[in-house]
Amino acid sequence: MNVALLKTARSNTMYPLQFGAALADAPEEVLDAFKRFGEAVGEAYQLQDDLMSVFGDERVTGKSSTDDFRNGCMTVLLSWAMENATPAQLAVFERHHGDPDLDEAGAAALRRAIEETGARTAIKAMLDARRAEAVAILAETELTDEVRTALTELATADPVRAGSVPAAA
């Protein structure tokens, strides 16, 4: 989560929001709200990206659903799964995670293990909590309706419902 906070949340979301608000001479209350909002939305975005990188439809997302496995990426999703894995599930991770020659059967085994640990459900709950936090921050901040609507849409955009990430079986 620290990588999600520092890389995605702050660099890609929080700082641009704060920079724009500062250029518009927004009050300190708005700058603080955009910090908290940006962190929550940025973390949600990273969690969403983790899910899409494993369970997404490559034809819709445009990104590989096996690259994180092949490259041995330790995302929040994979970390949660490994920390909560049974010995048999952990053996699947040890065998396939980080295998540059991973085939679809190995990737399917990893996806099954992730599902079985409950990681997909847990990460989706974390994602939903970050989105709810972001919307709550907007609700308590004095903003124009136009800004609040645009940022609420940003916070609640969900490719899972739009079809790019199939729902859990």
Side-chain angles (χ1 to χ4, degrees):
M1 284 303 294
N2 198 37
V3 171
L5 175 65
L6 296 176
K7 178 184 141 203
T8 306
R10 290 192 177 158
S11 297
N12 297 345
T13 310
M14 183 193 82
Y15 291 138
L17 281 170
Q18 285 189 308
F19 183 69
L23 287 175
D25 290 323
E28 193 64 36
E29 171 196 335
V30 172
L31 294 174
D32 178 62
F34 281 5
K35 175 188 185 301
R36 293 178 294 121
F37 173 85
E39 288 178 348
V41 168
E43 287 177 356
Y45 174 84
Q46 189 59 56
L47 294 170
Q48 178 177 289
D49 188 65
D50 290 356
L51 289 168
M52 288 172 44
S53 294
V54 171
F55 297 107
D57 181 339
E58 292 181 23
R59 296 166 299 184
V60 176
T61 65
K63 62 190 299 184
S64 170
S65 62
T66 56
D67 280 355
D68 280 358
F69 292 152
R70 284 192 183 108
N71 296 328
C73 293
M74 190 51 67
T75 64
V76 176
L77 174 70
L78 291 169
S79 177
W80 198 101
M82 289 179 182
E83 287 177 16
N84 292 279
T86 65
Q89 292 161 341
L90 199 52
V92 171
F93 289 117
E94 290 170 355
R95 178 168 182 220
H96 296 293
H97 189 245
D99 177 359
D101 298 318
L102 180 72
D103 60 13
E104 190 48 48
L110 283 165
R111 286 186 197 98
R112 257 190 321 280
I114 291 168
E115 286 279 5
E116 291 169 356
T117 66
R120 184 177 187 176
T121 301
I123 298 308
K124 181 69 170 93
M126 290 171 66
L127 188 162
D128 290 343
R130 297 300 191 285
R131 285 183 172 146
E133 177 184 349
V135 171
I137 290 164
L138 295 176
E140 68 187 28
T141 305
E142 190 172 323
L143 301 168
T144 66
D145 289 342
E146 183 179 57
V147 169
R148 187 181 328 283
T149 298
L151 292 178
T152 298
E153 288 174 7
L154 173 71
T156 59
D158 190 354
V160 173
R161 288 188 212 118
S164 64
V165 181

